[in-house]
Amino acid sequence: MSTILTVTQEFIRLFKREVHESAVLVAADDVFEVKDTPSVILQGPVLTENGQRRTQARLIEKNVPDLSYEECKAPRLYHLDFDIVVTTATETELLGLQEAIARLYQTHPVIEIGDKGSLNLTELVPVGGLRRVNLSNLRQVSGRLRVEDCPVYDGRVTQGKLIRDRTFAQNLPKHEHFRRKEARND
């Protein structure tokens, strides 16, 4: 399964649990219409690569009981940026949702991604810090957050066997060693 999809789904579940149960995801740059208030819209993700952490290293995972291993390139790490748009009918509702989002960053500095570990959740612009064109009589604020370093693998995995036994040549007389070396060169 796609790592970006898994992380985005887990992030939406967390947001629905902690902020507002009807929060929805809208693709970046899509036009959306708010029909019911209060409304919480997560717009994104917009991906940016964390180029400073790119490496040519390879990952090797050993399975000693089966005497095998799997090897792949280290993943590239991407930041997933989401814009948050909150729309309400009253200022009281708006302030309540702003506080719930601020509390989310304090209580969940990381997002748990099942057995794959966790990723940092960072507030880039507090909700209320971004300017939005609001052509209605509703109250609206927006902000931006980031899920950091989402790993994306290339999907190429090499499998092999681990060495079980090693056999060393016995100490041979020097002349025997040279004869064997000459035979290999022929």
Side-chain angles (χ1 to χ4, degrees), residues 165-178:
D165 294 318
R166 287 182 257 170
T167 306
F168 296 99
Q170 297 175 354
N171 290 336
L172 300 174
K174 284 190 176 186
H175 66 279
E176 186 68 25
H177 173 70
F178 288 119

Side-chain angles (χ1 to χ4, degrees), residues 113-161:
I113 313 298
D115 61 345
K116 299 189 187 324
S118 61
L119 299 174
N120 291 336
L121 182 63
T122 304
E123 180 180 39
L124 296 178
V125 178
V127 174
L130 286 179
R131 299 276 182 218
R132 292 201 61 81
V133 175
N134 187 359
L135 303 175
S136 68
N137 61 353
L138 299 173
R139 310 307 177 256
Q140 193 173 64
V141 293
S142 62
R144 185 168 293 139
L145 64 83
R146 171 177 284 173
V147 178
E148 295 181 352
D149 296 335
C150 177
V152 176
Y153 294 87
D154 66 0
R156 298 181 193 151
V157 178
T158 304
Q159 297 176 339
K161 299 216 176 269

Side-chain angles (χ1 to χ4, degrees), residues 58-64 68-72 158 160 162:
R58 302 198 55 86
L59 300 177
I60 299 174
E61 187 172 317
K62 293 186 283 185
N63 184 345
V64 176
S68 65
Y69 72 91
E70 289 184 346
E71 178 182 15
C72 67
T158 304
L162 292 174

Side-chain angles (χ1 to χ4, degrees), residues 52-123:
Q52 295 176 338
R53 294 195 56 202
R54 187 187 294 184
T55 180
Q56 296 299 318
R58 302 198 55 86
L59 300 177
I60 299 174
E61 187 172 317
K62 293 186 283 185
N63 184 345
V64 176
D66 292 340
L67 293 173
S68 65
Y69 72 91
E70 289 184 346
E71 178 182 15
C72 67
K73 285 184 180 178
R76 289 197 177 180
L77 303 174
Y78 290 90
H79 299 315
L80 308 180
D81 293 347
F82 294 88
D83 284 350
I84 305 167
V85 182
V86 178
T87 307
T88 64
T90 66
E91 286 84 4
T92 307
E93 283 180 315
L94 188 65
L95 291 172
L97 285 171
Q98 282 180 290
E99 185 173 345
I101 293 169
R103 192 177 309 117
L104 173 77
Y105 298 123
Q106 293 176 352
T107 58
H108 297 281
V110 295
I111 297 176
E112 297 296 327
I113 313 298
D115 61 345
K116 299 189 187 324
S118 61
L119 299 174
N120 291 336
L121 182 63
T122 304
E123 180 180 39

